[in-house]
Amino acid sequence: VTQEVWQKFGHAGGSQPRRRPGIPPTTSTITTHKMKTISRTTMAAGTKAAAAPGAVRARAPLATPNRIGNTARSAGKLSSNSLGTPGNVVVSRRRDLSLNAVYQDGQKLDRPLRVAIVGGGPAGACAAEECAKAGIETFMIERKMDNCKPCGGAIPLCMIDEFDLPSEIIDRKVNRMKMISPSNVEVDIGSTLKPNEYIGMTRREILDDFLRQRAEENGAKVINGLFMGMEQKEGEKGPWTMKINSYEGEEKKKVDLEVDVVVGADGANSRVAKIIDAGDFDYAIAYQERIRIDDDRMKFYENLAEMYVGDDVSPDFYGWVFPKYDHVGVGTGTVINKPAIKEYQDAIRDRAGDKISGGQIIKIEAHPIPEHPRPKRIEGRVALVGDAAGYVTKCSGEGIYFAAKSGRMCGEAIAARSKQGTQMIGERDLRTYLSKWDRKYWPTYKVLDILQKVFYRSNAAREAFVEMCSSEYVQRMTFDSYLYKTVVPGNPISDLKLLWGTVGSILRSNALRVSQGPTVTFGRK
């Protein structure tokens, strides 16, 4: 089933995102504006057609040089584009000494630092934005501009303010949740939330495109293409040559791009991670169906999300029904039994029952989700962020905030350590991002890892988990930790009461399991 899923959903093409009007073309090695060849060694940016607000952005084909560069010593002339912005787009087929120079860590540069970010999701877009704002020559490579990752789409309240996200990209503001046990016992969650507190529900294609466009507005050059590989021809202190299949025109073109630093934000199947031998990790298969239901049923999910636990919907995760703009996302995931993912999906639809019955499946999505950080996340002048680094939490399966945050922290580290792109950086500089990340978020990952091991190991433990969620103390602690991304210290007396109650819940659930026999199975409502 995994082979079928990857073939069906892994490499589909997509439409181009919209360019916001009024953004002037940027000086770029690879430009997103139309280009024409002037001679064999020189190319100037061409005119950009005026676009009405909301028009689809058209990306012009790239030239086909052996090597692409933008330095003070490159061959050719400087040019101007039709809008009067000075151009500096130079493409040369010859070997450029400045482009291929070997720089030591900390050495002063005679041109801006060049950084390539592979992947245009939240991690890649936020890394690109921070680098571009610092004056670093930044390239963001994304193969699929309308990518719809199978993701619940939930983001914490702190992310909306921290990343300055507009209200238009939030489909729903969820302030009520239902936790539903293997025996279909329901617990309502949300009574401890304040009136202005909520969980934001987004569609990834909307959120990701917004973040990419913002990075582009800040100066990043977006390349619509598939990253194929990279190599260092001049040794470990030399530039990285990126191999890209460009989709900028009607035909696929192979182009090379040379950069100083690479940020791998290309997901759980990261090619960048494989190239630097970052090591493997366990991964889950996430499967989601977008289902359009009638208005009456949609009204039920207006500000409500549901989470189902039980070995019928997943042996080691949970199933969800999350509201979107005009439909619901219904999905599940598993690490230990990937071939049965479609059976688990059937079960979550059965458990949701009449609330989604008769709905129209408008999209099916599947994707790998990492289960823990990779053994290696930095190598030389290459860093990993987001899913490529393994930043998805156990128990909750949350990854959007941590992807965006890791990308931003990595970009900030590159900007600071390169002194705003004026000097070369190395592995030691990139490790400042990693040290800061681990200090800040290691406790969160550890706590959620423990919770998953305790409560997702059997249906009896899941029953106890749902019963525990009825506690107002637990709800307050959980929401405070989730919404504001910090491990909230508990009250020792309340913690002891909670521990005693949890042990009692597990014992009662085990006793019921023995007396009642097997619980739910596949396909049984």
Side-chain angles (χ1 to χ4, degrees):
V1 70
T2 55
Q3 182 68 22
E4 173 190 341
V5 167
W6 301 152
Q7 288 179 352
K8 189 170 183 181
F9 309 111
H11 301 285
S15 60
Q16 301 296 329
R18 295 180 298 176
R19 176 181 294 280
R20 297 182 177 177
I23 302 172
T26 55
T27 299
S28 171
T29 298
I30 295 181
T31 179
T32 60
H33 302 279
K34 181 170 287 187
M35 304 173 75
K36 60 180 180 179
T37 304
I38 293 179
S39 68
R40 187 176 180 181
T41 59
T42 307
M43 177 164 49
T47 59
K48 183 177 82 169
V56 176
R57 175 170 60 200
R59 296 187 182 275
L62 298 175
T64 55
N66 294 329
R67 192 182 302 275
I68 299 174
N70 179 18
T71 71
R73 302 181 187 177
S74 296
K77 300 178 180 180
L78 300 183
S79 63
S80 298
N81 56 53
S82 61
L83 297 180
T85 304
N88 190 18
V89 180
V90 180
V91 178
S92 175
R93 291 182 182 274
R94 70 177 179 82
R95 184 180 181 86
D96 187 293
L97 298 178
S98 177
L99 184 66
N100 293 281
V102 174
Y103 290 91
Q104 299 302 313
D105 298 349
Q107 185 175 345
K108 185 78 173 177
L109 297 171
D110 59 356
R111 41 79 181 168
L113 185 75
R114 297 185 301 270
V115 176
I117 290 101
V118 183
C126 290
E129 180 183 0
E130 293 303 318
C131 289
K133 284 195 302 187
I136 294 168
E137 191 172 9
T138 306
F139 305 92
M140 179 166 54
I141 305 162
E142 171 59 43
R143 69 177 176 85
K144 193 177 179 185
M145 295 297 184
D146 64 345
N147 185 39
C148 303
K149 185 178 176 181
C151 173
I155 58 175
L157 185 63
C158 66
M159 182 176 180
I160 296 169
D161 292 333
E162 186 177 343
F163 288 84
D164 196 21
L165 301 179
S167 59
E168 303 85 68
I169 71 170
I170 308 298
D171 285 343
R172 302 279 176 175
K173 295 181 178 181
V174 169
N175 54 24
R176 296 188 303 121
M177 295 188 70
K178 283 185 181 291
M179 286 291 299
I180 303 167
S181 76
S183 61
N184 285 327
V185 173
E186 298 182 358
V187 170
D188 292 320
I189 301 175
S191 61
T192 62
L193 289 177
K194 298 173 184 176
N196 61 339
E197 291 181 328
Y198 61 89
I199 299 169
M201 290 293 170
T202 66
R203 286 166 288 168
R204 285 294 300 273
E205 64 270 28
I206 304 297
L207 173 64
D208 293 10
D209 186 55
F210 170 81
L211 295 173
R212 278 195 299 268
Q213 290 194 39
R214 190 164 69 183
E216 192 170 13
E217 289 171 4
N218 279 282
K221 293 88 174 177
V222 179
I223 303 171
N224 183 196
L226 177 63
F227 169 70
M228 300 302 294
M230 62 186 191
E231 60 179 332
Q232 283 180 302
K233 298 178 180 180
E234 316 295 330
E236 65 178 14
K237 297 298 183 182
W240 283 98
T241 300
M242 317 292 288
K243 305 291 184 180
I244 306 166
N245 285 346
S246 169
Y247 303 141
E248 298 288 340
E250 295 180 357
E251 297 181 0
K252 179 179 71 176
K253 294 185 179 181
K254 297 181 182 296
V255 295
D256 290 353
L257 169 67
E258 289 193 346
V259 298
D260 303 304
V261 179
V262 177
V263 177
D266 48 338
N269 288 329
S270 171
R271 288 182 174 178
V272 176
K274 290 181 175 65
I275 290 169
I276 68 170
D277 194 23
D280 295 325
F281 48 34
D282 291 333
Y283 66 93
I285 294 293
Y287 192 99
Q288 177 174 265
E289 295 169 333
R290 298 193 185 197
I291 301 177
R292 182 170 288 130
I293 54 181
D294 61 47
D295 292 343
D296 289 339
R297 287 183 172 89
M298 198 68 216
K299 186 71 174 176
F300 175 78
Y301 287 108
E302 183 176 8
N303 62 345
L304 170 71
E306 292 182 323
M307 296 175 63
Y308 294 81
V309 293
D311 57 15
D312 59 333
V313 297
S314 176
D316 52 348
F317 204 55
Y318 62 88
W320 65 85
V321 181
F322 287 172
K324 307 295 183 181
Y325 174 67
D326 60 353
H327 61 276
V328 290
V330 182
T332 185
T334 180
V335 176
I336 65 176
N337 194 9
K338 300 178 185 70
I341 187 66
K342 288 187 177 179
E343 296 177 79
Y344 297 132
Q345 183 67 17
D346 291 341
I348 182 63
R349 284 200 307 268
D350 282 351
R351 292 278 297 277
D354 293 339
K355 289 175 287 188
I356 63 170
S357 64
Q360 176 190 3
I361 297 176
I362 58 177
K363 195 173 187 65
I364 300 175
E365 305 154 338
H367 203 76
I369 305 294
E371 278 289 288
H372 57 78
R374 288 187 188 271
K376 182 196 298 182
R377 291 166 281 163
I378 302 284
E379 175 70 17
R381 293 171 180 167
V382 181
L384 301 178
V385 294
D387 281 13
Y391 295 150
V392 176
T393 60
K394 292 283 190 74
C395 193
S396 67
E398 184 193 1
I400 297 177
Y401 174 81
F402 294 110
K405 187 67 174 179
S406 65
R408 173 173 283 186
M409 290 172 70
C410 184
E412 289 173 340
I414 292 172
R417 302 292 291 189
S418 69
K419 296 183 178 179
Q420 309 304 299
T422 61
Q423 74 177 30
M424 185 58 66
I425 62 171
E427 180 172 325
R428 185 175 180 179
D429 300 299
L430 291 174
R431 286 196 176 278
T432 61
Y433 132 70
L434 206 59
S435 298
K436 184 178 179 181
W437 171 271
D438 288 343
R439 285 197 305 271
K440 187 173 181 65
Y441 294 115
W442 182 87
T444 298
Y445 280 79
K446 193 63 179 176
V447 167
L448 291 173
D449 183 28
I450 293 171
L451 286 176
Q452 184 173 38
K453 289 176 179 176
V454 171
F455 292 112
Y456 283 15
R457 58 191 176 87
S458 69
N459 272 356
R462 295 182 187 101
E463 293 283 355
F465 176 61
V466 173
E467 183 177 335
M468 181 180 71
C469 288
S470 64
S471 163
E472 187 174 299
Y473 175 71
V474 171
Q475 291 187 28
R476 186 171 62 252
M477 293 282 290
T478 300
F479 273 115
D480 285 350
S481 298
Y482 174 79
L483 294 177
Y484 303 106
K485 284 294 161 284
T486 181
V487 176
V488 179
N491 179 290
I493 296 176
S494 297
D495 287 343
L496 285 173
K497 290 180 179 178
L498 177 62
L499 176 62
W500 181 255
T502 301
V503 171
S505 295
I506 292 176
L507 292 175
R508 284 194 301 276
S509 297
N510 275 317
L512 286 172
R513 183 180 61 174
V514 172
S515 63
Q516 295 177 355
T519 55
V520 290
T521 57
F522 285 132
R524 179 180 172 185
K525 293 187 178 180

